[in-house]
Amino acid sequence: MLIIDKLWREGLSPSERHMRMNSQYRHILNKICEKEACLRAELSEDGIKCFETYNDFLGDLSAITEEEIFVDAFRLGAKFILDILGNYNRNLYTLDGNDTQEEV
């Protein structure tokens, strides 16, 4: 099955992550959780609220960064495809229902 078919039929998620329980990622994540628990134990109620807001902002920033990396990687993949095709001068039909053609 083509990846594009899998994307449509099976709801393939490009951002899916499968991590092994013994992976380096999991190991570091566990250490972060341990340190967060220590930090929360030392903070006041106001400090905990501030820390949670800080973590929310970090999460937002991480999501934006991951999206930008995904888009850039997708564009790079498209450039590889165009490079493999070489000087591709055929007309491509648009997908908007019009019978016009775009020159590529």
Side-chain angles (χ1 to χ4, degrees), residues 90-94 96 98-104:
R90 293 183 48 191
N91 290 330
L92 296 177
Y93 291 95
T94 61
D96 61 5
N98 295 332
D99 290 335
T100 61
Q101 295 179 356
E102 291 181 355
E103 187 76 26
V104 177

Side-chain angles (χ1 to χ4, degrees), residues 2-37:
L2 295 173
I3 194 74
I4 193 101
D5 293 330
K6 192 171 184 177
L7 178 64
W8 176 257
R9 294 182 185 149
E10 298 178 14
L12 176 69
S13 175
S15 61
E16 255 179 23
R17 288 193 179 170
H18 302 283
M19 72 176 125
R20 292 181 218 138
M21 293 306 280
N22 295 327
S23 70
Q24 182 180 7
Y25 179 91
R26 184 70 164 177
H27 176 72
I28 293 172
L29 182 60
N30 286 338
K31 286 187 175 278
I32 289 171
C33 290
E34 289 171 11
K35 295 301 178 186
E36 181 177 337

